Amino acid sequence: MTVADPLIDLRSDTVTRPTAGMREAMATAEVGDDVYGEDPTVNALEAEVAALFGHEAALFAPTGSMANQIALQLVVPPGDELLCDADAHIVTYEIGAAAAYGGISSRTWPAVGADVDPDLVAGMVRPDGYFAVPTRAIAVEQTHNRGGGGVIPLATLRELRRVADANGLALHCDGARIWHAHVADGVPLAAYGALFDTMSVCLSKGLGAPVGSLVVGSAEKIERARFVRKRMGGGMRQAGVLAAAGRYALAHHIQRLVDDHAKAARLAEAVAPFGVLATAVRTNIVPLDLTKSPLDARGLAAAARAEGVLISVLGPRSARLVTHLDVDDTTVDRAATTLTQILRN
Ligand SMILES: Cc1ncc(COP(=O)(O)O)c(C=O)c1O
């Protein structure tokens, strides 16, 4: 690396900066006060996202975490229970929000990548009654962040829908990266939408918008979601400048995710001979398992940083690389060379 080389940031797909076209869309967006429901660009984005997933309505929220937490409050009353896997973003990275804001009790099944065993989940459901915490909802993550960007097959999701229906439960999808699953498995977004009572979807991960997520659901649920969002401090005013970035991202940045997946596959191919690939790579995340490597995760991250490549440390022996809009093929190949040199030594 020379001094002039910029850092190659593979920590997350949240690090992207708005493109020129996106900035232009933001600068020229029509806006109004969205707390009064008067921002035409927000209203258009909400209608567009609801239609994409075949739902009645959607609500713009500042973050994916808030969108998840609003949705959970719609389907799990205080004191009642949510089931999800132990690595889910909801119980790992949302700082206990379900308990803190919704009074929600969460119980988890062991995480095995993105795999879900519907029978195991069915066996965890507690019935209604006054003697045990009643289960009210199941949440899944598509794609799975800590599960290395893995994709839950449509057939598994259908099984989970059956489990939810058989027990009168809601099914929520943390779909921060559902776009990646759609592109990887060729499943229409509406086919995913048909399976869930509530969804959260993010515009600021692989799609490249600076800010923004949406809660998706029935008109009745989204009406209630508007109230919960305001209570949580998420009522924004002239948010159309942000919604415009989201609309631009939906129009221009979904199909190009195949490029991010191909770049992740190239990185995976480069590091695989060193025995550090945690799972097969399906989307834009390359999960690294360093249990058999002389370098631990911090060691690898520090050595990579010294050579201008940033990666994420997830645990003592666990790290990840994420591809996105702001790293092209040449950049990814440079990162691959850097990482293989470090792993070889
Ligand atoms: C799977 C998943 N859900 C939710 C979120 C939360 O998004 P935000 O950072 O916008 O709160 C993230 C963030 O990376 C995520 O990976």
Side-chain angles (χ1 to χ4, degrees):
M1 189 181 83
T2 67
V3 176
D5 282 333
L7 290 173
I8 301 173
D9 198 340
L10 300 177
R11 289 171 302 168
S12 174
D13 47 12
T14 57
V15 301
T16 54
R17 293 176 176 87
T19 61
M22 187 179 278
R23 285 173 192 266
E24 172 71 17
M26 295 171 78
T28 55
E30 258 192 87
V31 296
D33 190 326
D34 182 49
V35 172
Y36 290 105
E38 290 171 3
D39 188 303
T41 312
V42 171
N43 292 342
L45 173 70
E46 291 177 344
E48 215 167 289
V49 170
L52 278 179
F53 290 97
H55 273 264
E56 285 174 346
L59 182 78
F60 193 41
T63 65
S65 301
M66 190 186 284
N68 273 332
Q69 295 303 326
I70 291 170
L72 295 180
Q73 288 185 45
L74 301 177
V75 293
V76 187
D80 292 2
E81 181 177 86
L82 169 76
L83 301 180
C84 64
D85 80 81
D87 265 352
H89 193 280
I90 286 170
V91 290
T92 309
Y93 297 122
E94 296 182 15
I95 329 291
Y101 298 132
I104 294 168
S105 181
S106 300
R107 199 153 49 95
T108 58
W109 66 82
V112 188
D115 287 346
V116 187
D117 176 352
D119 291 336
L120 185 144
V121 177
M124 290 176 70
V125 176
R126 287 169 170 155
D128 220 344
Y130 61 84
F131 47 87
V133 184
T135 308
R136 299 293 182 204
I138 300 167
V140 294
E141 192 170 308
Q142 182 77 312
T143 64
H144 202 294
N145 181 342
R146 286 182 65 87
V151 183
I152 308 171
L154 190 61
T156 306
L157 295 174
R158 288 191 171 132
E159 279 301 309
L160 283 168
R161 180 70 258 174
R162 275 192 274 278
V163 171
D165 287 343
N167 293 281
L169 308 181
L171 189 59
H172 170 71
C173 179
D174 175 349
R177 295 184 183 79
I178 196 146
W179 329 101
H180 300 75
H182 157 65
V183 165
D185 273 7
V187 173
L189 293 172
Y192 284 134
L195 294 172
F196 299 108
D197 299 280
T198 53
M199 308 178 75
S200 66
V201 300
C202 285
L203 305 166
S204 62
K205 310 286 170 321
L207 295 196
V211 168
S213 291
L214 291 103
V215 187
V216 180
S218 66
E220 194 188 341
K221 281 199 170 60
I222 296 306
E223 197 47 40
R224 173 79 189 152
R226 204 170 286 285
F227 176 85
V228 177
R229 181 187 67 178
K230 188 70 174 64
R231 177 181 275 165
M232 292 178 78
M236 299 180 285
R237 301 295 176 171
Q238 285 68 34
V241 285
L242 302 173
R247 294 190 74 199
Y248 185 93
L250 291 173
H252 297 93
H253 294 166
I254 295 182
Q255 288 316 318
R256 65 151 301 285
L257 291 174
V258 289
D259 300 340
D260 292 351
H261 297 180
K263 285 178 278 184
R266 276 154 72 147
L267 281 171
E269 200 184 339
V271 300
F274 301 95
V276 295
L277 207 52
T279 59
V281 168
R282 288 294 324 282
T283 57
N284 68 326
I285 299 179
V286 183
L288 303 183
D289 173 357
L290 299 159
T291 40
K292 296 199 186 99
S293 163
L295 272 178
D296 65 7
R298 282 189 191 285
L300 177 62
R305 179 179 274 271
E307 297 299 324
V309 177
L310 306 183
I311 70 170
S312 266
V313 173
L314 300 185
R317 294 258 159 203
S318 158
R320 70 166 195 197
L321 321 170
V322 187
T323 58
H324 50 75
L325 196 56
D326 285 6
V327 283
D328 59 17
D329 287 344
T330 317
T331 316
V332 159
D333 288 344
R334 261 178 38 221
T337 306
T338 301
L339 291 166
T340 51
Q341 275 166 0
I342 295 167
L343 288 165
R344 188 172 292 123
N345 291 326

